[in-house]
Amino acid sequence: MIVRNVLVLPGDLRGSGFYRAIQPYQWLAKTYPLDHHVIISSPNIPTGLIKWANVIVMQTVVDMSLLQLILTNKSPKAKIVFDIDDAVFCVPDWNVSKPKMTPEILRQFKVMMLYADCVVASTEPLAEVVIEHANIKREKLTVIPNGIDLDLFPKPKRDNKDFVVGWSGSAHHHGDMVEFLPILRKILNLYPDVKVEFIGANYGLALLDAK
């Protein structure tokens, strides 16, 4: 039996780090406890953990010092997986993260993916962006879509016959509404009984911009 010691470094605790690193690898450890040993850690990791791991998952962690520490201390056979969930190379001007995507940060993203044995993207279009901007070969890329843990969302009891469509997100996505609302208008013209609920930050501004 091949035992995999997996060291997971999430980029954050509430965003994609949660639903692309913490939650999936907790499930992996719970479902296959005999052959998958998982440790989820902050980037401040002791070298002993790096030497222990034979798979190191870096979920949108961009840190040159950390990369050097891993490359220096990891087992020669250990594999590095870099997971990316955002098209950082083509962030639109309206996005609040645009100022953070400096040329130096984008260069570091490319370096992280260059040294990774496998790059995981959340969608096929994102994979194409990575191939184009980071000069990554297609065979090095794997697409794993975001999953939904249905246990976190128990099926509600319907007390009426209304059909409700929900849209949720953060301030990072308010500009998407400008493109989405014309499509939504066409849907509502065809199905006027459908109700739509918007949950998130900055949507009031976005709805006004999209009128």
Side-chain angles (χ1 to χ4, degrees):
M1 179 175 64
I2 299 176
V3 176
R4 292 180 173 85
N5 297 330
V6 185
L7 176 59
V8 183
L9 307 174
D12 57 54
L13 299 179
R14 296 183 179 181
S16 59
F18 176 74
Y19 59 77
R20 289 195 64 80
I22 297 173
Q23 200 173 35
Y25 286 98
Q26 284 178 339
W27 174 89
L28 180 68
K30 182 179 178 180
T31 308
Y32 302 100
L34 296 181
D35 55 357
H36 287 80
H37 304 157
V38 177
I39 293 179
I40 299 172
S41 173
S42 71
N44 299 319
I45 50 176
T47 56
L49 273 185
I50 298 174
K51 295 177 180 179
W52 165 85
N54 49 35
V55 178
I56 301 171
V57 180
M58 306 182 74
Q59 193 279 319
T60 320
V61 175
V62 180
D63 186 325
M64 294 296 99
S65 298
L66 177 60
L67 177 62
Q68 183 61 48
L69 183 68
I70 290 173
L71 293 175
T72 302
N73 292 279
K74 77 178 186 70
S75 164
K77 293 184 179 181
K79 303 298 182 182
I80 298 175
V81 178
F82 187 84
D83 182 281
I84 185 169
D85 189 40
D86 290 299
V88 295
F89 300 105
C90 48
V91 177
D93 291 338
W94 54 259
N95 193 292
V96 296
S97 293
K98 178 67 173 181
K100 301 177 183 178
M101 296 299 109
T102 63
E104 174 58 21
I105 289 296
L106 296 180
R107 184 193 71 82
Q108 292 182 20
F109 264 101
K110 295 177 183 180
V111 173
M112 300 297 289
M113 288 185 272
L114 174 67
Y115 280 96
D117 297 285
C118 175
V119 177
V120 178
S122 55
T123 67
E124 287 290 349
L126 178 55
E128 295 302 320
V129 169
V130 171
I131 291 171
E132 177 182 355
H133 293 273
N135 196 27
I136 299 297
K137 294 183 178 180
R138 188 62 180 86
E139 54 266 29
K140 189 176 179 177
L141 260 163
T142 298
V143 174
I144 301 179
N146 293 329
I148 298 176
D149 186 348
L150 296 179
D151 291 335
L152 296 177
F153 304 96
K155 188 175 181 180
K157 295 180 179 180
R158 299 186 64 175
D159 55 5
N160 55 54
K161 296 182 179 180
D162 291 339
F163 188 90
V164 181
V165 177
W167 171 289
S168 65
S170 67
H172 292 66
H173 300 286
H174 83 272
D176 296 334
M177 300 295 292
V178 177
E179 299 181 12
F180 172 67
L181 283 182
I183 300 172
L184 180 60
R185 289 194 198 97
K186 293 181 180 180
I187 294 175
L188 294 179
N189 286 335
L190 292 173
Y191 306 99
D193 293 334
V194 172
K195 294 184 178 180
V196 181
E197 297 287 345
F198 296 97
I199 304 171
N202 279 12
Y203 282 173
L205 176 62
L207 290 172
L208 290 175
D209 290 342
K211 286 185 176 180

